[in-house]
Amino acid sequence: MDQYILKISGHDEAEFAKEICEEMAVSAQKRGTGIARRSVDYIYKKLESGQAFVAIDRHALQIAGFCYIEIWNDGAYIANSGLLIFPNHRGKGLASRLKAFAFQKSTETFPDAKLFGLTTSAAVMEINSDLGYRPVPYDRLTNDKAFWNDCRSCVNFNVLQNKQCRNCLCTAMLYDPNKKHKSIKKEETS
């Protein structure tokens, strides 16, 4: 039996919001990279409303991984953001599995949407590439000002502002469902 249950979040997972926020902050600080911070209330609402994807350790009954969905331009653009794997669960391929699960559920729910992300992580870039994302200029992403305003809590926000949201230290990656892609790995639901 698989150690992890991958699922769309709900009321039962909302209790993990504070723990997720704390680990996001610690992880970003350790890596020394920019990451937009989210409040406990924001993450709680994502978990409670089913706008997040979680990996639960079946044996310890604890959160092992997390990411959430953002919807932009009335569903024309979707982002699976905030990918986090808790330290005790790293090195087991869980990040790839959770990202593939989030990708599968997002493309099923929003089949015509372009999925995108910003990252400084080489590992996340590799996972995204395996799913069919490609590096793109920032102008290929959503033009929704609320998205760019969400970058305010990132340590690199001044770089983004100085570049007028045309680039930053993150790599922009986009999956366009209208383009031909390599085969996409899909996660089996548990």
Side-chain angles (χ1 to χ4, degrees):
M1 178 184 290
D2 191 357
Q3 179 179 353
Y4 300 106
I5 300 166
L6 304 181
K7 63 183 284 195
I8 297 171
S9 67
H11 177 74
D12 291 344
E13 291 74 39
E15 69 181 78
F16 297 119
K18 183 177 181 190
E19 190 177 352
I20 289 166
C21 286
E22 288 171 356
E23 185 55 40
M24 281 180 159
V26 168
S27 181
Q29 187 175 19
K30 281 182 182 176
R31 290 189 329 255
T33 58
I35 186 169
R37 295 179 197 259
R38 301 291 183 248
S39 70
V40 172
D41 186 53
Y42 183 86
I43 297 299
Y44 181 90
K45 287 177 183 172
K46 287 292 181 185
L47 289 161
E48 177 80 20
S49 67
Q51 292 186 338
F53 308 97
V54 294
I56 304 295
D57 182 321
R58 181 185 310 272
H59 307 299
L61 297 177
Q62 63 184 200
I63 187 84
F66 166 83
C67 71
Y68 62 92
I69 191 169
E70 291 281 8
I71 303 164
W72 304 102
N73 300 87
D74 296 319
Y77 290 88
I78 302 296
N80 293 139
S81 299
L83 180 64
L84 174 71
I85 302 300
F86 282 78
N88 293 348
H89 304 281
R90 292 180 186 155
K92 300 177 182 181
L94 187 55
S96 295
R97 291 182 56 209
L98 183 57
K99 185 77 172 183
F101 179 78
F103 179 86
Q104 177 186 350
K105 296 302 181 187
S106 297
T107 55
E108 287 172 1
T109 305
F110 301 95
D112 299 322
K114 294 178 181 178
L115 275 72
F116 73 96
L118 294 172
T119 188
T120 57
S121 167
V124 172
M125 286 181 225
E126 185 175 329
I127 292 167
N128 285 349
S129 292
D130 288 347
L131 292 169
Y133 288 74
R134 297 293 170 252
V136 295
Y138 278 35
D139 66 2
R140 299 262 317 270
L141 306 180
T142 181
N143 59 2
D144 192 317
K145 290 182 182 186
F147 172 77
W148 299 106
N149 284 337
D150 281 349
C151 292
R152 284 186 188 279
S153 62
C154 175
V155 297
N156 300 315
F157 185 66
N158 64 330
V159 175
L160 182 67
Q161 277 190 307
N162 291 338
K163 304 279 185 169
Q164 299 169 330
C165 297
R166 288 191 303 257
N167 64 23
C168 194
L169 301 180
C170 286
T171 297
M173 299 189 79
L174 180 76
Y175 170 83
D176 186 340
N178 299 311
K179 306 264 182 182
K180 295 196 183 249
H181 300 279
K182 295 181 203 173
S183 65
I184 297 168
K185 300 173 186 175
K186 292 204 174 185
E187 176 65 34
E188 295 293 319
T189 56
S190 300

